[in-house]
Amino acid sequence: MVANMSSTTPPVDFGLFTSLRYDQQLLFSEENTKLSGNEEPSPFYNLRFHYDRLVDALHAFGWRLIPSKVNPEDELNPKLEDTKVERGEYPQAFEPIRDLERFRKGLVDAVDNYFQTNPKTSRESPLKLRARLYRTGEFIVDVTQTTPVPLINLFPPNPLPSPSSLLDSTRSTSSLPSTSNPTPTFSLNDDTLLIDTCPMTPSHYTRFKTWPRPHYEAARTRLGLSETDAKREVLLWNHDRWIMEGSRTNVYFWRPIEPSGADSQRETGFGWITPSEGTSGCLSGTERRWMIEYGMITTQDLKIDDVKYGEIVLLSNGLRGTWPVTVQKY
């Protein structure tokens, strides 16, 4: 059961945030266009899902989000219910994301400013955007360069390949001559997943992206992962020993699918599962949401004791998409 910690006093600099990818190749992705919010090609990865999650976080923490067509000064407006969610404590914080177009404009302005102040950086360069919203009304978008990622990782194949298929793909790729330039494939690399040594307490601070992030930073520090370590991740679990997520990712395991509901992977009896938000308290990830909606993964809970060293699992986030890793001992 996820604890509701929204009533506790947050830090003075407490804010909500989302991290997403800016990538010119996304302009040619029909799938990404569907998620742009205006049915036009967009360089922002899964934009509508990022906006939806920010709005959900506002409601979860009791902040107010007034629809753009409602006059916030009209105290008699019947659409303004007298609840903490609708009226909130910090109404000034929501102007930058009152609707999706304002949110989009904030991101576009941040990207334009980055390239103007960094004229030697190619506009084809992929970027990481961290959009932070504070109770004071500040909306800050941090922009940095990020690593190129093949489009197949941002929108992976459906159905997702099994662990054995990933191993076969890796072996066939490694046998190619070093001078060859193979087509990018969804294949295994040397990324690893380490199991945390302490449980995490589920709350709104794990269900949504919040700032600062001391609980995640502590987990990474325990296992010796630095801020810039992108090749290793930490697997988090709660006090009931249910798997939650990674410190920066959602997680997926290849397991027998429990007989409930329809699923395209039912034929084999196995498929990729991800912890449910209700039991584990995991983050509501944007790439996770996309794969759930397409039936590529199933929500099903798993105990940390059932994880095997050496097994292949999948990770995903709003910056790198989805990729396979291997569970290793710390």
Side-chain angles (χ1 to χ4, degrees), residues 28-43:
F28 306 100
S29 167
E30 293 183 6
E31 198 59 47
N32 198 62
T33 298
K34 295 177 185 178
L35 298 169
S36 67
N38 61 5
E39 299 183 353
E40 296 181 4
S42 171

Side-chain angles (χ1 to χ4, degrees), residues 255-318:
R255 291 292 187 275
I257 302 295
E258 294 176 355
S260 60
D263 192 286
S264 61
Q265 301 172 25
R266 193 78 58 194
E267 295 179 3
T268 63
F270 278 75
W272 291 104
I273 66 169
T274 189
S276 66
E277 296 168 17
T279 298
S280 74
C282 70
L283 175 72
S284 177
T286 55
E287 179 75 348
R288 173 181 179 273
R289 175 182 170 182
W290 179 77
M291 290 194 289
I292 288 175
E293 291 189 359
Y294 272 82
M296 299 163 70
I297 58 172
T298 301
T299 55
Q300 186 172 305
D301 294 299
L302 184 69
K303 294 280 189 176
I304 191 64
D305 310 276
D306 296 325
V307 178
K308 305 175 182 65
Y309 291 118
E311 73 169 302
I312 297 172
V313 304
L314 299 180
L315 304 180
S316 76
N317 63 24

